Amino acid sequence: MSTFIIAEAGVNHNGELDKALRLVDVAVEAGADAVKFQTFKAESLATDKAGKAEYQKKLTDSEESQVAMLKKLELPHEYHFKLKAYCEEKNIEFMSTAFDFGSLQFLLAEMDLKRLKIPSGEITNLPLIYEHAKSGLDIILSTGMATVGEIEQALMVIAGGYLDNLGRNIQQNWKTAYFDEGARTLLKSKVSLLHCVSQYPAPAESLNLTAIKRLRKTFGLNAGYSDHSLGIWAPISAVTMDATIIEKHFTLDRNLPGPDHQASLEPHELKQMVEAIRNVEAAIGDGVKRPVASELVNLEPVRKSLVLAKPIRRGEVITEQHLAIMRPGTGMPPSKYWDMIGATVSQDYEAGDFLCE
């Protein structure tokens, strides 16, 4: 299955429609499958007492409140309509992450999304997760900062929401929902987990990419990777860990003001990442060891044959001194070497001739 690549525009539009549209163009040019934004109202997302993350303090006004920063990064509802129409015109999937109930209801009622993305910071926001699942849509759940227990708890609530969507109100009996056969089928077909390290940028030694396989094995769901490290090597490596989804932040210019630009890819890097992932997908193959068509043309010139090192006449016995092993591989294979020692030849050979069967 082809890796689903999400180009994460996030808030790197800085609240400007023209930048958001240009980000769509970059994602399309790079060959991403989807471009994702973020939908929120600052006043619904954080209180006035909420401080900034350390990386945000370094990259924005450290005295500014989180709410004030977020207010500048909001994507107005009217921009959503224009962006989605533009994405449809450019044949790329429009996605957006909702961070509050009102924003989720807007996306569900107005945006006709194919799937929903729940960010790492909301993994313990079970009421919001439940509302996501009640939509019946496919869900991608990021797991940054989460324990296995927290992931399982979120999946229980998703199971309950899916059953609610089918008219089966389980009245918050999440464990019953989680182990319901129908809910298990829905989880397996509709939910994907993203391994993630919620640091910006995330150090290489923190990435633990093998956790992608562990998530798949533990929960029996598709697993992918949301990358916050610098460069493109980590998401490319994640594909070799069977990641089915890759999400990566990108920007028009890392020097733009804002909290996420410096940990994002620039346009040419996003394109390189997508191209590399497609090459890795092709290179992984099916795991069956066998000659492939492209290499068989080299078989004759690089393999060797048994040839005569010196003349031998009909009726004579072949000794080690008679045989050499040389290219090309058009004659008797060297694997017959020991069979030929002591054999009597039925014809005359000159030095350099190939032995016949």
Side-chain angles (χ1 to χ4, degrees):
M1 184 172 64
S2 178
T3 308
F4 187 73
I5 301 176
I6 302 171
E8 171 66 68
V11 296
N12 283 343
H13 48 73
N14 286 4
E16 301 172 31
L17 179 60
D18 64 326
K19 281 188 172 64
L21 292 169
R22 286 166 59 197
L23 285 165
V24 173
D25 287 334
V26 169
V28 171
E29 173 63 22
D33 296 295
V35 58
K36 189 175 78 65
F37 295 89
Q38 295 179 6
T39 305
F40 58 85
K41 292 294 183 183
E43 294 86 351
S44 299
L45 180 53
T47 69
D48 291 334
K49 297 179 181 179
K52 293 180 179 179
E54 288 302 313
Y55 79 93
Q56 293 172 336
K57 291 178 182 178
K58 293 177 182 178
L59 298 172
T60 62
D61 181 358
S62 60
E63 299 302 317
E64 178 185 53
S65 70
Q66 185 178 154
V67 170
M69 176 190 72
L70 291 170
K71 191 67 180 175
K72 299 175 185 176
L73 302 174
E74 286 182 3
L75 191 67
H77 286 183
E78 58 267 28
Y79 289 5
H80 283 69
F81 296 111
K82 294 178 181 179
L83 286 167
K84 187 168 189 294
Y86 193 60
C87 286
E88 290 172 351
E89 178 186 329
K90 296 293 184 176
N91 197 31
I92 189 171
E93 183 177 336
F94 171 86
M95 294 179 63
S96 192
T97 296
F99 287 80
D100 57 79
F101 290 102
S103 294
L104 175 61
Q105 290 309 312
F106 166 72
L107 291 178
L108 293 175
E110 303 290 345
M111 288 291 99
D112 189 29
L113 300 181
K114 294 181 179 179
R115 70 196 88 224
L116 299 174
K117 165 70 192 301
I118 300 173
S120 294
E122 305 300 324
I123 199 165
T124 59
N125 188 351
L126 301 184
L128 184 62
I129 288 175
Y130 183 60
E131 291 301 316
H132 277 75
K134 281 171 61 178
S135 71
L137 293 176
D138 289 2
I139 289 175
I140 300 171
L141 176 64
S142 271
T143 63
M145 304 175 288
T147 65
V148 170
E150 288 170 336
I151 297 168
E152 185 171 51
Q153 185 180 49
L155 291 174
M156 288 180 180
V157 173
I158 292 172
Y162 279 154
L163 292 181
D164 194 357
N165 177 258
L166 297 176
R168 293 179 54 193
N169 191 329
I170 49 82
Q171 299 182 341
Q172 300 179 21
N173 193 338
W174 308 125
K175 285 188 177 181
T176 297
Y178 189 52
F179 293 105
D180 181 273
E181 185 176 345
R184 300 296 296 183
T185 299
L186 288 170
L187 288 174
K188 189 169 184 178
S189 64
K190 300 177 76 65
V191 178
S192 298
L193 302 174
L194 295 189
H195 173 54
C196 175
V197 176
S198 296
Q199 178 59 285
Y200 304 83
E205 62 272 17
S206 73
L207 298 185
N208 191 23
L209 294 180
T210 53
I212 299 167
K213 290 187 174 183
R214 177 61 64 179
L215 284 174
R216 174 178 285 106
K217 183 177 181 180
T218 300
F219 297 105
L221 305 178
N222 281 333
Y225 177 59
S226 180
D227 183 50
H228 296 140
S229 68
L230 296 178
I232 66 174
W233 63 270
I236 296 167
S237 300
V239 176
T240 69
M241 298 289 174
D242 302 327
T244 56
I245 301 172
I246 292 294
E247 179 182 77
K248 181 73 173 179
H249 282 262
F250 74 107
T251 180
L252 299 174
D253 184 344
R254 265 196 293 272
N255 294 315
L256 287 170
D260 292 347
H261 294 286
Q262 287 194 16
S264 301
L265 298 180
E266 291 192 331
H268 70 283
E269 295 170 314
L270 181 66
K271 187 172 184 179
Q272 289 172 352
M273 185 196 79
V274 174
E275 290 175 349
I277 286 173
R278 299 306 180 211
N279 285 334
V280 169
E281 287 175 336
I284 288 174
D286 60 11
V288 177
K289 176 56 185 171
R290 60 181 178 275
V292 296
S294 62
E295 67 180 341
L296 289 178
V297 296
N298 298 317
L299 192 148
E300 288 186 1
V302 303
R303 284 196 173 179
K304 294 179 177 179
S305 302
L306 291 177
V307 299
L308 273 300
K310 62 180 183 179
I312 188 171
R313 298 300 172 227
R314 178 180 180 180
E316 292 183 358
V317 174
I318 299 174
T319 66
E320 293 181 1
Q321 286 70 36
H322 286 110
L323 296 180
I325 300 173
M326 302 176 68
R327 291 177 175 175
T330 53
M332 187 181 296
S335 57
K336 299 283 188 179
Y337 177 84
W338 292 285
D339 294 336
M340 291 299 100
I341 301 298
T344 302
V345 297
S346 58
Q347 66 183 69
D348 294 342
Y349 289 98
E350 302 299 329
D353 286 349
F354 291 100
L355 274 175
C356 297
E357 293 281 359

